Amino acid sequence: MSFHIATRLVALAAAAAVSAGCGVSGDAPDSGAGAGDTWGFVVSMWRDEIPDVAPEHCPDGLNQNEREYFEIPRGAVREARERLGSLQAAEDEVFPPDACRDPLAQPDPGFITFDADLPLAGLDLDGVASTRAEGGQCAHDDFTSPDGRRGIDNQHWRLLGCTRGYQPDGQIQRGADSGSFIKEGIPILLEVTGVDDARNDADVRVRFASSADIITLDAASGVVPWTSMDLYEDPAYVSEPTAGRIKDGVLTTDPVDVRLRYRQQVIDFEYYFRDLQVRAEVLADGRLKGMIGAYWDIENMFKLRNDHRTRNRHTGRGASDALGYMCAGMYHALPRVADGHPDPDNGVCTSVSTAYHFEATPAFVIDAGAVGAND
Amino acid sequence: MTIPINRREFLRGSVAGAAVTVGLPYLEIFLNSNGNALASGAPLPRRFGTWFFGCGMNPDRWAPVKEGADFELPPELAPISPVREHLSVLSGFSVLLAGEANQVHYTGIVGTLTGEAPARMDAADLPTFDVLIADQIGTATRFRSLEMSATGRPEHSYSRRNATSLNPAEPSPLALYNRVFGPGFADPNAAEFTPDPRVLLRRSALSVVADDRRRMEAQLGVADRARLDQYFTSLRQLERQLELSLTKPPPLEACRVPEAPPELADSLEVGHVVESHRLMSQVLAMALACDQTRVFNMVFSDAASSLHTAGSSDTHHTLTHEEPNDPELGYQPRATAFVMRTMEAWTEFVQALATVPEGDGTLLDNCLVMCHSESSDANTHSVSGLPVILAGRAGGRVQPGVHVRGVGESTARVALTMQQVMGLPVASFGVRQNATSRPVSEVLA
C-alpha cells in the first residue's frame, strides 16, 4: 500500500473519529476535508539558527570556559578526584565557587558577544527594524535574513555567536545533525484548528504543547507520520490557542506564551518562551517547514543551560566547559543583550529573542481530557 | 579386542587418601579427521568476548561507505588493515532512546549490552548479555568469565548481572596472570596432577551439606522444598566448579603457561595503557587456549575515556568536547589521535588471538569478539551509529569480512546475534524500541 493511500485511509479514520466527538486532530492538509478542519503535527526537526561565521566576525576571539579563564590544569581535577573519591568534591576544591549553581558566586568576568552583521534567518518578532543607535528600551541591532527581510530579532545569537559550541561545526550544530532532539526527550506538538482552505485561510487557531507520548521512528530514523500523540498531562505545557493565518500556503501566527517540557541528556527542565510566533510553509506532503521565533525568558534560559545535575553531581560547569563559556559571564551578559519584556519596575529586559528552524510531521494530536473512556 | 575410549572416561585413584578422578587428555583419536571438532562431532570450545573503548570515533571518518564485502577502510579504520580478513564492521546501529534522556556516556553502553535505554543513571536492572552467554557456556570452565581493564581501574567494567552486581575487572596484567595462572591453576599439559587439598576440604564440606539437604527435604512441604531447591542450585554450581578443580584437565595443544608479566605502574597515559593492554591480551589468549574461561570482557578505555597523552593533562574525553575542529582537517586532531591508538590496540588484540594455533585454525577462529563503544560522536554524546566491529568465526558460525549498515536499527540486533551464535535458545532481545527478533544475518556463515 502506498504512503499516499495509507495517508488517505488514516485521514478518513480521523475524520470519523472527529465526527464521533473524540478530541483527535490530524486531517491531512491535502485530504480535501471540509470547513473547520483540524491539523495535528509533531515536531520532527528543531535546530538553532547558526549562520556561516568566520573568525573575523569575532575579532576578540571566542569566550573562554572556567578552566581556561582561571588557568586550572586538568590534572588538578583528576588528582583531587582520586584523592577525594568524588568528581563533585574535586571540582568544588579545584574551581572557584560554582557560578552555574549560584550565578552571583563569582564577579562578572565579561562575555564576548557577537557584534558583527551578517545574514541571519529568523523572524521579525517586534515588527520593527531596530538599531541600538536609536536607543530606547531594550535597544538592539536587528539582522537581515538571507532572503532580504529586515528586522530579524535574534539576540540569543548576539549572546552566543562567539562561543565555541555555537560555531557551525560546534556541539550545538553537531547535536542537531545527529537528530538527538527527536530521538530522546519529550516531543513538541502543534495543532491548527479551523482550517477551511489549506492554501489561504485568514482565520485559524494554533496551539503548541508537549506530548505525553514518544516519537515513533521508522527504520531510517525518520519520524513516522500519522501516529497518535497525546497532549502532556500537565496543562501548563499546553498553550492557549493563538490566532493564525495561511496565505499562499504559508502559516503565520500571532504571539503566544508557551511552556514546553525539555528533557535532553543531563537536562530535565522546561522552555519558557514569551510571544512565540511561527512562520512555516505547508508542504505538499502535509508537513510544516519553517521557523519558530520567540523571546526566551532569560532566567529560564540560564537555568536550563546551566543548572542541572546527574545523581549527586552538578553538571552545569561541565556543560558550560564543553560549550566554551563561563556561567558568571553569561549571567551578567544576558540583561545586556536582552531585548524583550522589560521589567515594569526597573526597565531591565527579561527575555532574549531567538529563532529555530523546525519541521513538523502530521500526527493525530489527542487531547486525553476530551476523550472519555466511553466516547 | 579394542575397547572404545571416549573423552569423558576418567582414571580413578586416590591422592593423600582422597579419591581423585583424572580426565583423559585431548588425544588425537578424540578429534575428527579435519582437526576442527571432537570425534563425536562436538565442536571445539567456542568463546565469546567484548572489547570496549570509550568516546567513540568520528562517524564520517570511521564508517565505510560500501556495504557487503570488499568495503573500503576509511581513515579511522585504516589501522585494522592487517587483520581485516578476521573482521566485520557494523555501522549505523544505535541505542534507541524510547523517549528517555540520553544519560551521557552511560546509555550507549548499557543500551548495547542490556537492550534497554535506561531512564536514569543506575536505573537499568537487566543483565548484560555477556553474563547470559556466560551462564550458557561458562559453567564448564574454571572461570565463568574474566573481566579486564587496561586502565588499571577495577571499576572500569561494564559486565553485570543487575544494577548492583557488577563484575569487577582485573586491573593489571600481573593481577590477571595471578588470577589465571596463580594458585588453583592446573596445567593441562603437566604430567602430574595434584588436587588442591583446600578444594578437597571444601568439597567435603559441601558433601555434608548435601547429606543434610536430603535429610531436610524428607521433612519439608512442597513450597519449602522449592525454596530449598533454589538455594541449593547455587551450591550445585559450586560443586561442579569444585569437581572441575579436582579433575585433571585434558592436555590442550595451544596452551602454554606464559611468563608472568611485569608489574606496571598505575597510569592512564595512553602509551602505558596500550602496553598494559598488550600484556593482558597475551595472558588472556593463553587463558582461553588453556580453557580457563570461555567468556571475557576487556576494557581498553573507560566510557568518557580518561586516557591522556604523556606530558598533557587533557583527557581524551575533555578533548572531544573542548578541542576545536581543525579548519583544514575538519576534525579534532588531538581527540582523533586517541581513536587511532584505540584501533591500533584493537588490531593488536585480534592478532594476539589470531596467532595462537588451535585445531586446524587459530584460537580466533573459535572466538567471537564484539568491539564497541558508548558513543559515536562523543562531542555530542551521540548514541546513533555506534561503532561495532566483530572478530573471529565462532567455530565456523560467523563469516567475517563484511560491512553491514544498520541505519536506525538497534544495537540489540547485534546482541541477539551474539547470543544466538553462542548457542543461547533466544528468539528476541531488548525492550521497548530496542526489542528485536532479527539477528544480523549478514555476518552469519
Side-chain angles (χ1 to χ4, degrees):
Chain A
M1 182 166 63
S2 72
F3 169 76
H4 200 66
I5 294 171
T7 298
R8 290 192 177 276
L9 287 174
V10 176
L12 285 171
V18 170
S19 67
C22 297
V24 177
S25 61
D27 290 346
D30 63 344
S31 67
D37 287 345
T38 298
W39 299 348
F41 299 93
V42 59
V43 171
S44 52
M45 187 278 280
W46 175 281
R47 67 168 69 216
D48 286 73
E49 159 63 358
I50 295 181
D52 286 330
V53 291
E56 57 264 31
H57 290 123
C58 298
D60 296 325
L62 301 180
N63 282 296
Q64 291 183 311
N65 63 19
E66 275 195 0
R67 189 185 58 76
E68 294 159 340
Y69 183 84
F70 293 111
E71 299 180 344
I72 296 170
R74 194 110 45 205
V77 174
R78 190 168 62 238
E79 182 277 324
R81 180 183 189 175
E82 292 185 0
R83 179 164 41 81
L84 300 170
S86 151
L87 181 55
Q88 180 69 70
E91 289 178 337
D92 287 346
E93 178 181 280
V94 170
F95 283 93
D98 190 351
C100 300
R101 269 188 286 192
D102 174 8
L104 298 177
Q106 295 175 22
D108 181 6
F111 202 89
I112 301 172
T113 53
F114 187 92
D115 299 324
D117 193 19
L118 85 177
L120 194 76
L123 301 184
D124 179 3
L125 296 174
D126 57 8
V128 179
S130 39
T131 65
R132 203 163 30 176
E134 292 167 356
Q137 204 168 34
C138 306
H140 60 281
D141 287 324
D142 281 352
F143 294 93
T144 299
S145 70
D147 60 3
R149 285 178 293 114
R150 300 180 63 232
I152 301 300
D153 295 296
N154 195 337
Q155 289 298 102
H156 182 255
W157 178 256
R158 292 265 178 235
L159 178 73
L160 291 162
C162 293
T163 298
R164 184 179 60 245
Y166 283 81
Q167 300 308 292
D169 57 358
Q171 188 173 351
I172 296 296
Q173 183 73 46
R174 290 166 72 163
D177 290 345
S178 76
S180 62
F181 189 86
I182 61 167
K183 292 174 183 170
E184 60 178 310
I186 298 172
I188 299 171
L189 306 177
L190 272 80
E191 187 181 58
V192 187
T193 55
V195 182
D196 299 310
D197 184 324
R199 295 288 301 167
N200 288 285
D201 191 325
D203 183 20
V204 298
R205 289 287 182 274
V206 181
R207 63 175 176 168
F208 307 85
S210 298
S211 178
D213 290 306
I214 63 173
I215 286 178
T216 303
L217 300 176
D218 63 23
S221 292
V223 175
V224 174
W226 300 112
T227 56
S228 295
M229 304 291 293
D230 281 4
L231 294 177
Y232 204 78
E233 298 90 338
D234 186 341
Y237 301 108
V238 180
S239 80
E240 292 297 320
T242 186
R245 62 213 57 81
I246 304 169
K247 184 178 181 185
D248 296 331
V250 175
L251 170 71
T252 56
T253 66
D254 288 349
V256 62
D257 289 354
V258 175
R259 288 183 187 271
L260 298 168
R261 285 282 283 110
Y262 184 101
R263 192 167 65 205
Q264 293 267 300
Q265 299 195 0
V266 296
I267 304 170
D268 191 350
F269 195 46
E270 65 173 22
Y271 277 132
Y272 179 31
F273 293 128
R274 311 288 305 276
D275 292 334
L276 181 146
Q277 300 178 43
V278 165
R279 185 176 192 277
E281 186 178 358
V282 183
L283 302 178
D285 62 4
R287 290 180 302 132
L288 289 180
K289 181 177 183 180
M291 298 208 73
I292 285 177
Y295 290 96
W296 192 353
D297 180 86
I298 59 173
E299 184 180 343
N300 171 259
M301 180 201 155
F302 183 86
K303 287 179 74 70
L304 185 143
R305 281 270 164 256
N306 307 310
D307 189 8
H308 37 76
R309 61 180 57 248
T310 299
R311 287 184 288 189
N312 296 322
R313 180 184 170 226
H314 195 274
T315 45
R317 177 179 271 139
S320 62
D321 274 355
L323 287 169
Y325 64 83
M326 291 174 64
C327 287
M330 173 183 279
Y331 182 81
H332 288 96
L334 270 166
R336 294 199 292 269
V337 300
D339 59 339
H341 302 92
D343 185 318
D345 294 331
N346 57 23
V348 175
C349 291
T350 62
S351 64
V352 285
S353 52
T354 187
Y356 299 96
H357 298 267
F358 87 103
E359 293 178 14
T361 297
F364 297 106
V365 174
I366 303 197
D367 186 346
V371 183
N374 298 316
D375 285 346
Chain B
M1 189 178 88
T2 304
I3 301 172
I5 303 173
N6 72 64
R7 83 176 179 86
R8 289 189 175 80
E9 194 150 336
F10 292 94
L11 304 176
R12 299 173 193 285
S14 65
V15 173
V20 175
T21 55
V22 180
L24 289 173
Y26 263 107
L27 303 173
E28 283 192 1
I29 59 170
F30 296 158
L31 298 175
N32 69 0
S33 56
N34 295 326
N36 58 9
L38 300 171
S40 65
L44 289 167
R46 280 195 306 273
R47 294 85 163 190
F48 174 76
T50 67
W51 195 94
F52 177 82
F53 67 102
C55 283
M57 57 6 170
N58 296 297
D60 292 345
R61 291 171 40 82
W62 187 91
V65 174
K66 186 173 182 291
E67 295 181 62
D70 302 323
F71 58 91
E72 83 289 0
L73 293 180
E76 291 175 22
L77 279 182
I80 71 170
S81 177
V83 294
R84 66 171 294 167
E85 65 183 294
H86 303 299
L87 309 179
S88 284
V89 174
L90 278 59
S91 68
F93 289 88
S94 309
V95 172
L96 305 181
L97 294 165
E100 303 294 355
N102 174 7
Q103 311 291 330
V104 299
H105 301 294
Y106 180 76
T107 291
I109 189 164
V110 169
T112 296
L113 295 178
T114 69
E116 179 181 39
R120 60 183 188 281
M121 290 275 188
D122 297 336
D125 203 39
L126 295 172
T128 54
F129 76 84
D130 60 286
V131 169
L132 304 177
I133 291 175
D135 285 346
Q136 177 82 5
I137 70 168
T139 56
T141 53
R142 193 160 148 244
F143 302 107
R144 179 183 292 254
S145 67
L146 285 175
E147 282 66 44
M148 296 144 283
S149 168
T151 61
R153 305 293 192 276
E155 67 271 23
H156 289 169
S157 170
Y158 305 103
S159 171
R160 64 185 198 188
R161 189 164 293 282
N162 55 47
T164 55
S165 300
L166 310 179
N167 295 319
E170 297 300 331
S172 75
L174 186 58
L176 176 64
Y177 177 87
N178 286 336
R179 182 150 186 234
V180 176
F181 296 107
F185 173 70
D187 185 347
N189 298 321
E192 299 296 323
F193 174 69
T194 307
D196 186 336
R198 291 170 301 177
V199 175
L200 285 168
L201 190 62
R202 290 173 70 190
R203 190 181 68 157
S204 169
L206 277 178
S207 297
V208 173
V209 171
D211 290 344
D212 278 354
R213 172 193 171 187
R214 279 189 286 275
R215 273 198 300 275
M216 285 177 68
E217 277 180 339
Q219 302 169 44
L220 295 175
V222 174
D224 277 345
R225 286 174 67 173
R227 288 191 195 100
L228 199 64
D229 185 63
Q230 233 175 10
Y231 169 70
F232 277 111
T233 296
S234 58
L235 285 186
R236 277 197 294 274
Q237 171 62 32
L238 183 56
E239 284 173 343
R240 279 198 294 271
Q241 297 279 356
L242 294 180
E243 285 296 338
L244 208 64
S245 302
L246 295 172
T247 304
K248 184 181 189 316
L252 293 168
E253 180 191 6
C255 175
R256 300 279 183 277
V257 179
E259 292 289 318
E263 181 77 277
L264 297 179
D266 182 10
S267 170
L268 288 162
E269 190 274 315
V270 64
H272 176 94
V273 169
V274 165
E275 175 63 8
S276 177
H277 167 263
R278 187 179 64 79
L279 294 170
M280 279 184 157
S281 301
Q282 292 168 354
V283 174
L284 174 66
M286 279 304 114
L288 295 169
C290 297
D291 207 22
Q292 299 300 295
T293 189
R294 294 178 186 174
V295 178
F296 62 86
N297 296 288
M298 171 74 86
V299 169
F300 174 72
S301 54
D302 52 318
S305 168
S306 309
L307 305 195
H308 63 92
T309 54
S312 169
S313 57
D314 289 327
T315 66
H316 178 195
H317 171 231
T318 49
L319 286 170
T320 65
H321 290 308
E322 298 184 21
E323 182 188 16
N325 270 0
D326 182 292
E328 298 291 324
L329 299 172
Y331 59 87
Q332 300 163 307
R334 293 179 63 201
T336 301
F338 285 94
V339 180
M340 303 303 284
R341 295 293 295 270
T342 300
M343 289 296 102
E344 289 166 7
W346 162 243
T347 299
E348 276 196 335
F349 181 83
V350 174
Q351 286 171 326
L353 303 185
T355 51
V356 177
E358 186 175 72
D360 64 345
T362 70
L363 175 62
L364 181 63
D365 291 333
N366 293 308
C367 291
L368 179 59
V369 190
M370 183 184 82
C371 163
H372 67 121
S373 183
E374 93 286 9
S375 305
S376 51
D377 178 8
N379 175 268
T380 59
H381 302 124
S382 177
V383 294
S384 296
L386 294 168
V388 178
I389 308 177
L390 306 181
R393 294 175 182 271
R397 293 190 177 192
V398 166
Q399 178 64 49
V402 297
H403 166 224
V404 183
R405 184 180 294 126
V407 174
E409 308 228 17
S410 171
T411 48
R413 285 191 64 202
V414 184
L416 174 65
T417 310
M418 302 296 99
Q419 293 171 71
Q420 292 184 338
V421 166
M422 300 316 294
L424 272 66
V426 290
S428 62
F429 185 69
V431 295
R432 296 189 290 171
Q433 283 185 342
N434 291 291
T436 184
S437 56
R438 287 195 307 133
V440 184
S441 57
E442 293 92 329
V443 302
L444 303 178

